[in-house]
Structure formats: C-alpha cells, structure tokens
Amino acid sequence: MNNNKRTLSISNMDHSERPREKAIDMGIDTLSDSELLSIILGSGNRDENVITLAQRVLNSHHVHKGLIGLNYMSYHDLTSISGIGKVKACQLMAVAELSKRMSMVRKNREINLSSPADIAEYYMEYCRFLTREKVIVMFVSASNTLIKWEVLSEGTVNRSIISPREVFIEALRCDAVNIALLHNHPSGDPEPSENDIIVTNRIIKAGELLGIGLLDHIVMGDGTYVSMLERGYIK
C-alpha cells in the first residue's frame, strides 16, 4: 500500500499536474482547493503525497467540509490530524486568518460608522467562526473615520469581561472622539443579555465624563446582529 502511494509522489507526476508548475503554466485559478492547500503545506509524508494530505485536511472537520472547515479548527484540532505537525498547523491557521483579514481590508474604506448594518457586515466574517466571546472596540476620529480597532477582551464560551477603564485609556491614547463596541454571542443568538445592557450603560456614563461618545454597541449572532442604538438603549 505504501509503495502505491509513493508512486503518486509529486515528483512522479506529469509536469503539468504538479500544483506549482500548473499554477505557473495555467494560472493559479485553475488549481483545486486541495492543490492550492498543497502549495501552502509544501510536502506530504512517507505514506502520502501533499495533495492527498491536503484532501484529508479539507475533510477532517466533523461538520464543515472543505476550505471553510479551516476556520473552525484550532491548533489542537489540526495537530491531531496525522501528518500535520506544529509547522503545518501554523501554516493552516495563518491561511484561515489571512482570509478573514483580507475580507475586512476590502471593506475598510467603505465602512460607514453611523450605520449599524455596515459595522455588522464589516465584522460578520471575523465573528462568524469565533467559539469564545470577544469584545471589540472601534476608535473613531472627529471626522467619523475609523482610527483603529482592537480586541479588548476574550472570555469563556458565553461571557467576556469588559472594563470601562481599559476602553477609555486606549481611546484617550489615540485621540478618539467616539467609540463603538461590538461583541459576539457564540450561541448564535444576538439578543442582548442583561449584562450587555448594564455594561453599555456603564460605558455611556464613563464616556460622558470624558467627552467621548458611544456610537453603538452591536451584538453579533450567527449571520445576524442587534444594535443597541436601534433598540433605544443608546440615546
């Protein structure tokens, strides 16, 4: 069995069928998902070539098959796949993270910070695959443009901790005039909890003392969101 697999090594393939050569000669868009992933992985192992390894990776998640499955797999999940060690696991995680960041970069110049729908759409892909609750703070300039955003805290599966002190220290540091908050509910239900409402009120009151307004606090669910501004919690 191993001998048969070795005969299918990349070096034994026809030149036109090798992923790298195929990408150069015919265009990167002609490669299958497994061929693209094989270029990232670089090599297979003694029992299988890199394309076969890539195919196994793409089918390794118990629910999400294909490239999307990479977004749902942790370092531990990846290294539990035979043939995937520390280096290859980090390469795969980097690919998944890059895809999310590239999606956000494309939207960066178009985001309308006065529109809850625009903000939610901007972060939808980022939040879609999170298994823990994260709180994101957007720091906004006087011209209503995004100065920067950062993850303020990461909690357990269903709760994160946010401190007004941490929020406003950074807001003052980058001369933000307004801020916007966003956090995800891993359950997929974006309905604000009692704690979400309490935290929103605390941030509003602290901001009033410093002259920094809260534009919105958006709770992200599975492909949906709730805006605290639209709900009337923020005046």
Side-chain angles (χ1 to χ4, degrees):
M1 181 176 178
N2 288 351
N3 288 334
N4 289 336
K5 287 187 176 180
R6 289 194 186 99
T7 61
L8 297 176
S9 66
I10 299 298
S11 60
N12 288 337
M13 286 183 174
D14 183 80
H15 179 89
S16 64
E17 292 301 315
R18 300 174 190 173
R20 289 174 185 166
E21 286 77 3
K22 186 176 176 181
I24 295 168
D25 295 341
M26 302 177 64
I28 195 73
D29 59 322
T30 64
L31 272 62
S32 66
D33 291 349
S34 57
E35 288 173 329
L36 287 169
L37 202 59
S38 73
I39 293 178
I40 301 298
L41 293 171
S43 62
N45 53 61
R46 60 180 295 178
D47 293 327
E48 60 189 346
N49 66 39
V50 67
I51 298 177
T52 304
L53 175 60
Q55 289 170 339
R56 279 203 300 111
V57 170
L58 292 175
N59 287 289
S60 60
H61 194 275
H62 62 288
V63 175
H64 303 285
K65 305 301 180 183
L67 289 173
I68 196 171
L70 294 178
N71 291 290
Y72 290 96
M73 288 190 281
S74 66
Y75 173 79
H76 175 75
D77 294 330
L78 291 167
T79 53
S80 67
I81 301 171
S82 174
I84 301 297
K86 294 179 180 179
V87 173
K88 284 184 169 59
C90 287
Q91 290 170 332
L92 293 170
M93 289 191 298
V95 168
E97 183 62 23
L98 278 171
S99 71
K100 287 183 281 189
R101 294 189 187 188
M102 288 171 70
S103 174
M104 296 182 76
V105 167
R106 287 196 298 269
K107 301 174 183 176
N108 188 39
R109 295 179 181 177
E110 304 170 4
I111 184 172
N112 178 0
L113 293 166
S114 64
S115 166
D118 266 20
I119 295 174
E121 182 184 1
Y122 181 71
Y123 289 99
M124 192 67 72
E125 192 71 10
Y126 178 84
C127 292
R128 181 181 178 188
F129 308 107
L130 296 177
T131 57
R132 292 174 178 269
E133 194 169 294
K134 286 189 178 183
V135 175
I136 292 170
V137 186
M138 289 156 274
F139 301 99
V140 183
S141 70
S143 60
N144 205 38
T145 58
L146 182 64
I147 299 171
K148 69 172 187 175
W149 65 272
E150 64 178 49
V151 176
L152 184 69
S153 69
E154 181 173 354
T156 59
V157 171
N158 58 5
R159 185 170 183 178
S160 57
I161 306 299
I162 180 171
S163 163
R165 181 175 181 274
E166 293 178 82
V167 172
F168 290 108
I169 283 177
E170 188 57 34
L172 292 168
R173 185 178 290 131
C174 64
D175 293 325
V177 172
N178 292 301
I179 61 169
L181 294 176
L182 179 144
H183 77 278
N184 65 300
H185 281 177
S187 67
D189 181 3
E191 192 63 31
S193 67
E194 182 178 348
N195 187 63
D196 294 337
I197 296 169
I198 291 172
V199 166
T200 301
N201 289 329
R202 288 172 61 199
I203 295 294
I204 291 172
K205 290 178 181 178
E208 287 173 349
L209 296 174
L210 296 170
I212 298 175
L214 177 63
L215 295 176
D216 205 343
H217 184 176
I218 294 175
V219 186
M220 302 290 290
D222 185 7
T224 185
Y225 73 94
V226 167
S227 161
M228 296 277 203
L229 177 66
E230 292 177 337
R231 283 286 182 91
Y233 293 112
I234 300 172
K235 305 298 182 184

